[in-house]
Amino acid sequence: MFQGLGDPARLIVGQTGDKKTLDNIRKDLYLDQPKWKQFVFYLNDVSPICIHHKTTIQQKQFKGFFIGGDTKVGIKVPYLRQSYQTKKNVSAVLMEALPGTLLLAITAMLFATIIGVLLGVLAAVKKGTWMDTSAVFASIAGISAPSFFMAIIIAYLFGVVLHPYTGLNLTGSWFDIDEVTGEKYLTLKNLILPAFTLGIRPLAIITQLTRSSMLDVLNQDYIRTAYAKGLNKRTVIFKHALRNALNPVITAITGWFAELLAGAFFVEYIFGWKGIGKITVDALEKLDYPVVMGAVLLSACIFILINMLADVLYKIVDPRMKG
């Protein structure tokens, strides 16, 4: 599909490359092979279990354990190939960007989780009051607003119009580079706007889930028993009710965290945040397909790992699931 949008060999050498150079690059990238073979070769590169010729292993500097003669079978670190633009290994490009995406996603999720759970509990406890109505209305508005639209509004409002008061920049990453020494230094101030923007939708969903789950739990017999025993309201709500209401919330938190890691493309791009989303959009613009494919695979792995983590968290939060 990617190759239908452009010739990778031509992208690498440019428009002035001669035929011999193009043929050598096509051979090196397996582009001279049928499409089904190219797909099999790519799977062989990205798979931990592989079969490669010893010269290929030496040329591409695979890291792993191999046995055999000229054709070797082995276990290796997945090889995502090289960027067409920078000639760097895709894995190195992604690892440089991953800390920025992790920092942004974790901050956004912490903001969404803490504020969302508290608002959901407040709305459930104050059901039918203006607090409940306001929380529900705000959560519906948050769910309805697309991230890219909110990013543009928030960036313009706080980064341009109110910049003299907020001191927040329209764009910027989690580090800046000293012009004299060339060293990187943290600038976490730039994290505020993208993290707030990215956290709006999960905050809205977590608020609604917490509210509906709390309303179900607060009507259970054991809650009435806890009140009858003389426990104060705060203990009943946060120790007994909230803990039993958290299962659907954990599902939302883990699911949204995986999505934030994998899908913060527009937010990172609009705020100039150096993360996987931004380098993927940049790679798409430059038709740097190995970087795009590597980012998709990394995002898929992250999504799977986080959903596995959710199963562990269920058992920790809800003792009924340990059996």
Side-chain angles (χ1 to χ4, degrees):
M1 184 179 69
F2 280 143
Q3 289 175 27
L5 303 174
D7 181 3
R10 178 63 69 184
L11 291 171
I12 293 172
V13 300
Q15 297 301 318
T16 59
D18 58 84
K19 186 177 184 303
K20 185 176 180 180
T21 304
L22 283 171
D23 289 341
N24 288 335
I25 290 174
R26 287 194 178 101
K27 184 177 180 181
D28 185 54
L29 297 176
Y30 310 116
L31 298 175
D32 58 340
Q33 301 293 328
K35 292 292 189 290
W36 69 268
K37 273 193 177 181
Q38 292 181 40
F39 180 67
V40 171
F41 288 148
Y42 185 77
L43 289 182
N44 194 35
D45 282 346
V46 300
S47 172
I49 301 172
C50 62
I51 302 173
H52 282 289
H53 195 273
K54 65 179 182 181
T55 55
T56 304
I57 295 171
Q58 293 169 354
Q59 288 173 358
K60 297 182 178 178
Q61 299 179 343
F62 290 147
K63 297 177 181 179
F65 175 75
F66 300 91
I67 56 172
D70 289 342
T71 301
K72 296 181 180 292
V73 178
I75 299 174
K76 71 172 188 338
V77 176
Y79 177 62
L80 299 175
R81 300 190 174 175
Q82 291 183 331
S83 165
Y84 293 159
Q85 298 294 324
T86 64
K87 307 298 186 293
K88 293 173 66 176
N89 281 343
V90 171
S91 55
V93 174
L94 295 176
M95 288 303 106
E96 286 178 6
L98 184 60
T101 298
L102 281 174
L103 178 62
L104 177 59
I106 289 171
T107 306
M109 207 66 238
L110 282 175
F111 160 71
T113 302
I114 294 170
I115 304 300
V117 169
L118 289 177
L119 284 177
V121 171
L122 180 65
V125 172
K126 301 291 185 180
K127 182 185 177 184
T129 67
W130 67 269
M131 293 182 183
D132 181 27
T133 306
S134 300
V136 171
F137 176 79
S139 64
I140 292 172
I143 294 169
S144 304
S147 295
F148 68 88
F149 175 75
M150 292 302 298
I152 294 170
I153 297 299
I154 290 170
Y156 177 72
L157 182 62
F158 293 99
V160 178
V161 177
L162 298 177
H163 174 73
Y165 307 101
T166 63
L168 300 175
N169 299 319
L170 181 64
T171 60
S173 191
W174 58 284
F175 65 87
D176 282 327
I177 299 176
D178 191 295
E179 295 180 357
V180 178
T181 63
E183 294 182 356
K184 293 180 180 180
Y185 60 92
L186 288 174
T187 50
L188 294 181
K189 179 178 72 172
N190 295 332
L191 179 63
I192 296 173
L193 292 183
F196 174 72
T197 304
L198 200 59
I200 288 175
R201 292 193 74 198
L203 184 152
I205 290 173
I206 289 170
T207 299
Q208 283 207 348
L209 281 174
T210 305
R211 177 184 178 275
S212 60
S213 187
M214 280 291 292
L215 287 175
D216 289 338
V217 170
L218 288 173
N219 290 324
Q220 299 297 318
D221 291 338
Y222 65 87
I223 297 296
R224 286 190 285 270
T225 303
Y227 279 122
K229 288 182 176 179
L231 296 178
N232 63 58
K233 191 172 184 179
R234 181 178 296 179
T235 302
V236 173
I237 290 171
F238 287 100
K239 187 175 180 180
H240 296 282
L242 181 59
R243 183 172 183 179
N244 288 286
L246 279 180
N247 269 352
V249 179
I250 290 174
T251 305
I253 291 170
T254 52
W256 270 99
F257 183 63
E259 186 168 329
L260 293 185
L261 280 174
F265 290 7
F266 290 111
V267 172
E268 287 186 3
Y269 191 74
I270 289 169
F271 287 100
W273 186 264
K274 292 181 176 64
I276 289 177
K278 188 175 188 304
I279 67 163
T280 303
V281 175
D282 288 341
L284 279 169
E285 289 181 344
K286 298 172 183 175
L287 304 181
D288 198 349
Y289 304 132
V291 175
V292 178
M293 294 169 72
V296 170
L297 287 173
L298 178 62
S299 300
C301 290
I302 290 170
F303 198 91
I304 291 168
L305 288 173
I306 291 177
N307 277 281
M308 291 171 65
L309 177 63
D311 292 335
V312 177
L313 288 176
Y314 289 150
K315 294 178 181 179
I316 294 173
V317 173
D318 192 346
R320 295 172 297 179
M321 299 190 67
K322 290 183 178 178

